[in-house]
Amino acid sequence: MQMDNLELSKKVCGLAASAYLANKHRGGKAGGEGVQYENWFAVYNAAKLVTDTIQNGLPAPFLSTQTVDFVDDFVILWNEDSCHQHFQLKNTENVSWSSGDHPIADDFRYQKLLNEGAGVGKTSATLVLPCPEKAGRLQKSIPEDISNYSAVEQFAFGETLNHLLQIEPKLRDALASLCVNADLDKIERLGSLFVGEWVSNCGTPCNLMDLWEGVLRHEPNYVRSLSRVDILEKFEAILMQIEGFHYTMGQGFFEWSYLESDSGVLEYSVVSEKFFEFQRIIVMEEPSTFEELERHLI
Amino acid sequence: MSRTLTELATASIQSLLDRLAAPATPPAEYKHIMYQLGFEHGKALRDKLEGKSVGIACTVEDADFLAQGIIEGLRGSVSSISVACFWNKRFPGDETRNIPDTAPIQRKYSEPTIKSVDSLIVAKSIISGACVVKTNLTHLIRESNPSMIYVVAPVMFTNAKSNLEKEFASDITRRFAYYYFAQDDQKSADNNVIPGIGGNVYQRLGFEDQDDKNHYTPELVINRRRNLSSGKSTSLSHA
């Protein structure tokens, strides 16, 4: 399919556009902030799509980047080519629809033609940029002929994932919806696993389900779950008699607090072998105070 | 390798730094040197923090030595001290592929009053990649709003400041002030700063590894928690 796009583009977009497409694909990505911006945006979409599809029992799409496409920074490919969502990311100062040798509007037009030629049912193309004012301005000035399949989206840029999580609520919320709690250190850990899986798959379309399973293979991942937990007899009784100590396992991890000062989350899930071992130690040692218990809360 | 000393590094501090870096220094002496360096940091901050409510954020391995030293060095100067101690576990990323290092907080001790301090001291025995510092600081500034943030470490790696500052927006980084005695610019093959603090701080303090140090509860935490739960004032309190 991907190599076919070059041949197809000659037919449906013309020789000049096809030569540009070949050159664009050959050039690849230079790295730096542009690639980082694309990675963060891909992670945001992957996390959001896990919630929207996999966790709702719906088919997962393929995700790709650097494909042989006119709009190729990030693409969501829905089942059997029913819909392709293309995203062009611009983390630069000067962005317009019509300037430069290869205007963004032209890329969007050619992408629509290419997808129609390939039999893709529905095409959307979105320009993504970090500045809210600029995004608003470009949204209002989308050229008329591409407006029914084009959009503009604002997505912040941060030099690091931790920085971005502090300033981009869309990314933070997408990851938090999968995470055991809303603490940024847990969300960052989960986000870093998405980044790792995404960059490992870069260059080839990957199924979101495969990417998600890759994330789940890491420990700790802090992914929320509603698994049923097997609790040893006495375990709960021992913990409940420690004054000021509280815990919950409702999100798939053992989260605890003591008085107003101490709190934590065990790094392994409540369905893991390690949690069973943790329970076994508590039952064996029968701590009666928090000071006897705390060294086990790791 | 080269080491640049700051104007805070007196001859006696230089001697402490040399002994810290020496491989032969045993854990007990190493801990005491770290305490003394913390004490010197506390003294250096006394004028800046006179009369202020101060929070000290540290990691479990630094609590009884560096952080306790800072608290003692500040004694008689500040109006109160609140403590937050973090048990982090570091997971290396891959800089070449833009995968970030992370250090999720497995456990924390955080006195409620740290949410309302004037100034926050983030203390760390050495700051290199700044991963642990940024994690704990990010956590704290989401629930507090200190007007000044003092990043305090006996030794910093040459690009530690830039590593730390790219983790935050400018409205946060403009509150940063750095207090350190030496800056080093080289690392060994196993990623330890040279001469730094003489290698891996967990091992120099007598822990096996990061899991081992995370099973430890510092005396600082135990004592302050006991005071807190018994209703006694903890805030250094009134040093």
Side-chain angles (χ1 to χ4, degrees), chain A residues 160 185 188 261 291 294, chain B residues 105 107 110 134 225-226:
Chain A
T160 67
D185 60 294
E188 187 197 21
S261 55
E291 288 180 12
E294 62 182 321
Chain B
I105 299 162
R107 196 188 145 186
S110 184
K134 62 99 174 168
R225 188 203 290 134
R226 281 180 186 160

Side-chain angles (χ1 to χ4, degrees), chain A residues 177-221:
Chain A
S177 70
L178 298 169
C179 195
V180 62
N181 63 34
D183 289 348
L184 276 196
D185 60 294
K186 311 298 182 300
I187 293 174
E188 187 197 21
R189 169 66 184 164
L190 178 56
S192 77
L193 298 178
F194 268 102
V195 176
E197 292 300 316
W198 173 245
V199 300
S200 299
N201 283 293
C202 249
T204 50
C206 72
N207 187 278
L208 179 65
M209 181 63 92
D210 294 337
L211 190 147
W212 179 233
E213 285 174 350
V215 167
L216 294 176
R217 275 194 289 273
H218 293 272
E219 190 179 79
N221 54 46

Side-chain angles (χ1 to χ4, degrees), chain B:
Chain B
M1 84 188 168
S2 69
R3 160 164 282 188
T4 308
L5 295 165
T6 67
E7 69 278 11
L8 296 173
T10 60
S12 63
I13 288 173
Q14 288 178 46
S15 169
L16 290 171
L17 290 172
D18 290 343
R19 286 163 59 203
L20 200 67
T25 305
E29 186 184 345
Y30 190 92
K31 291 172 183 176
H32 187 62
I33 295 168
M34 199 61 93
Y35 170 86
Q36 289 176 293
L37 288 167
F39 188 82
E40 295 295 336
H41 272 302
K43 280 201 315 186
L45 284 163
R46 288 170 64 92
D47 289 346
K48 290 271 182 199
L49 298 175
E50 179 82 44
K52 294 192 184 302
S53 60
V54 174
I56 295 185
C58 63
T59 54
V60 54
E61 66 272 21
D62 289 327
D64 281 342
F65 317 113
L66 182 70
Q68 183 67 57
I70 294 171
I71 291 170
E72 295 300 329
L74 287 170
R75 192 173 287 277
S77 165
V78 300
S79 67
S80 66
I81 285 183
S82 308
V83 169
C85 178
F86 296 92
W87 286 250
N88 300 86
K89 187 166 180 179
R90 287 196 60 182
F91 295 92
D94 182 348
E95 196 176 350
T96 61
R97 298 196 301 153
N98 293 321
I99 303 171
D101 293 350
T102 53
I105 299 162
Q106 296 195 309
R107 196 188 145 186
K108 68 170 179 176
Y109 166 81
S110 184
E111 293 167 3
T113 48
I114 205 159
K115 294 178 182 172
S116 55
V117 294
D118 302 322
S119 300
L120 183 64
I121 295 172
V122 184
K124 186 85 171 63
S125 46
I126 186 165
I127 303 178
S128 172
C131 178
V132 170
V133 171
K134 62 99 174 168
T135 301
N136 298 343
L137 183 54
T138 301
H139 184 85
L140 283 169
I141 58 176
R142 284 178 69 77
E143 52 185 32
S144 65
N145 189 29
S147 55
M148 281 300 292
I149 298 166
Y150 295 91
V151 180
V152 172
V155 181
M156 288 183 74
F157 188 55
T158 189
N159 59 0
K161 285 184 194 174
S162 60
N163 281 340
L164 183 61
E165 291 185 2
K166 67 187 179 187
E167 300 287 349
F168 299 96
S170 57
D171 66 313
I172 305 292
T173 58
R174 72 167 67 102
R175 298 184 229 169
F176 286 1
Y178 296 90
Y179 278 73
Y180 55 100
F181 300 132
Q183 180 172 283
D184 295 339
D185 64 2
Q186 198 181 346
K187 286 187 178 181
S188 60
D190 55 1
N191 212 33
N192 284 314
V193 177
I194 305 171
I197 53 171
N200 181 307
V201 69
Y202 310 145
Q203 287 161 4
R204 295 303 308 266
L205 288 169
F207 298 111
E208 286 175 24
D209 51 29
Q210 61 171 340
D211 283 330
D212 188 35
K213 63 97 183 170
N214 277 345
H215 284 99
Y216 172 71
T217 301
E219 290 297 316
L220 177 73
V221 167
I222 292 171
N223 292 333
R224 291 184 70 93
R225 188 203 290 134
R226 281 180 186 160
N227 288 339
L228 195 66
S229 61
S230 67
K232 289 182 195 166
S233 177
T234 52
S235 333
L236 166 74
S237 287
H238 304 75

Side-chain angles (χ1 to χ4, degrees), chain A residues 20-36:
Chain A
Y20 157 61
L21 179 62
N23 192 45
K24 179 183 165 85
H25 185 64
R26 202 164 34 240
K29 300 286 177 179
E33 287 192 352
V35 170
Q36 254 177 334

